[in-house]
Amino acid sequence: MAWKDAPLRRSHAAAAALLLLGLTLALPGCVSAEVRQRRVEARQRAEELLKAPPAEPAPYVLQPGDEIAVRFFYNPELDQHLTLRPDGRFSLPLIGEVSAAGKTPEALAQELASRYEPYLRAIDVSVNVERFASQVVYVGGQVRNPGVVPLTPGMTALQAVLAAGGGVDTAEMRQVVVLRDNGDGSAGFLMLDLKSGLRNLTAFADPPLQPKDIVFVPMSAVAEAGQFVRQYINELLPLAKSFNITYQFGSLGLQ
């Protein structure tokens, strides 16, 4: 009986092997057209962004960790040097708690003048930022050292990825995504081909990053396909496991 079952087992194992080989070869091909279309759209979007006239820089708004000086021209005894707490607030004599995060220094000065009006005859308040909180971006995905990267003036996505140790072998450097908080509860994104940038820096669209941007390096389609095949074998093909099918992405055999 065991001898009769052997050919049937071999045929099942061979069928499983052919199925997995088909998946291995087909998956990259299935995504290639979509990947190419994404690259074209990303390149067009980046070119449009670079061609657009430079926007006026937005006024700086205070954030937790900023060190500020509050000065009262007619009442210097009330002058304060403060650091905004993690909740974006600080405390002043007479008026107590003040919420500062998200406001410009000028707007905060006007608010303080209004709140001190019941206590002072002459009011002239100024708010100056003495030291800015650390400016950072976040780099994640298929990089060697994902995490927080200090933002230097003019830093681009490519520079941020390199500061995070560069991409690992499974990184898809042609589809790096930059996510940005628009400040109104929505987020914008830009897809960049950093692999082309490494080849030709002069013709490379890589706009400067802004504080708290997120740079995400995805896994390549080849790596995703290999991961899928391994998962398929381990979870969905107990027959393959029972016949000890060995696999490597790009090659498949029977033992």
Side-chain angles (χ1 to χ4, degrees):
M1 181 66 68
W3 181 83
K4 291 182 180 179
D5 288 343
L8 182 60
R9 290 179 180 176
R10 291 195 192 96
S11 64
H12 285 175
L18 290 174
L19 174 61
L20 291 173
L21 181 59
L23 286 170
T24 303
L25 297 176
L27 281 173
C30 291
V31 300
S32 60
E34 181 180 356
V35 168
R36 285 196 297 269
Q37 181 61 27
R38 287 180 181 176
R39 291 176 193 159
V40 171
E41 293 174 355
R43 189 178 299 108
Q44 291 174 346
R45 185 169 181 176
E47 290 174 353
E48 291 173 359
L49 181 63
L50 292 178
K51 290 178 181 178
E56 290 293 328
Y60 181 78
V61 295
L62 299 169
Q63 60 179 312
D66 281 347
E67 297 180 15
I68 63 173
V70 180
R71 295 186 174 90
F72 296 79
F73 183 77
Y74 297 107
N75 304 90
E77 69 277 5
L78 295 176
D79 290 355
Q80 298 283 331
H81 294 268
L82 305 158
T83 300
L84 270 62
R85 302 193 305 256
D87 61 359
R89 303 169 68 89
F90 62 89
S91 181
L92 285 176
L94 300 178
I95 63 172
E97 289 290 297
V98 178
S99 177
K103 300 173 183 176
T104 64
E106 293 77 11
L108 179 59
Q110 293 176 3
E111 178 183 332
L112 295 179
S114 176
R115 292 183 61 177
Y116 269 100
E117 190 172 358
Y119 305 99
L120 304 175
R121 292 184 178 180
I123 304 174
D124 186 350
V125 185
S126 65
V127 176
N128 297 305
V129 181
E130 295 189 320
R131 185 174 182 179
F132 297 95
S134 298
Q135 304 290 302
V136 298
V137 294
Y138 306 95
V139 182
Q142 303 298 300
V143 294
R144 299 188 187 281
N145 303 305
V148 178
V149 172
L151 179 63
T152 57
M155 174 179 278
T156 65
L158 176 58
Q159 293 169 340
V161 169
L162 294 176
V168 298
D169 293 340
T170 54
E172 177 52 275
M173 298 296 288
R174 293 171 294 186
Q175 298 182 62
V176 175
V177 178
V178 178
L179 297 172
R180 178 170 298 166
D181 184 359
N182 291 328
D184 58 0
S186 64
F189 78 97
L190 182 67
M191 188 177 292
L192 300 172
D193 182 356
L194 298 189
K195 188 171 184 178
S196 296
L198 290 170
R199 295 173 180 171
N200 186 1
L201 291 174
T202 58
F204 176 45
D206 191 12
L209 298 175
Q210 294 183 10
K212 299 183 180 179
D213 278 355
I214 299 174
V215 181
F216 181 78
V217 181
M219 181 180 289
S220 68
V222 172
E224 288 179 354
Q227 187 179 56
F228 175 81
V229 169
R230 286 190 289 272
Q231 182 180 9
Y232 192 85
I233 290 175
N234 292 332
E235 298 181 6
L236 303 180
L237 282 183
L239 177 65
K241 295 172 70 174
S242 67
F243 283 95
N244 197 19
I245 296 179
T246 61
Y247 61 92
Q248 292 180 345
F249 187 68
S251 63
L252 188 63
L254 293 175
Q255 285 186 346

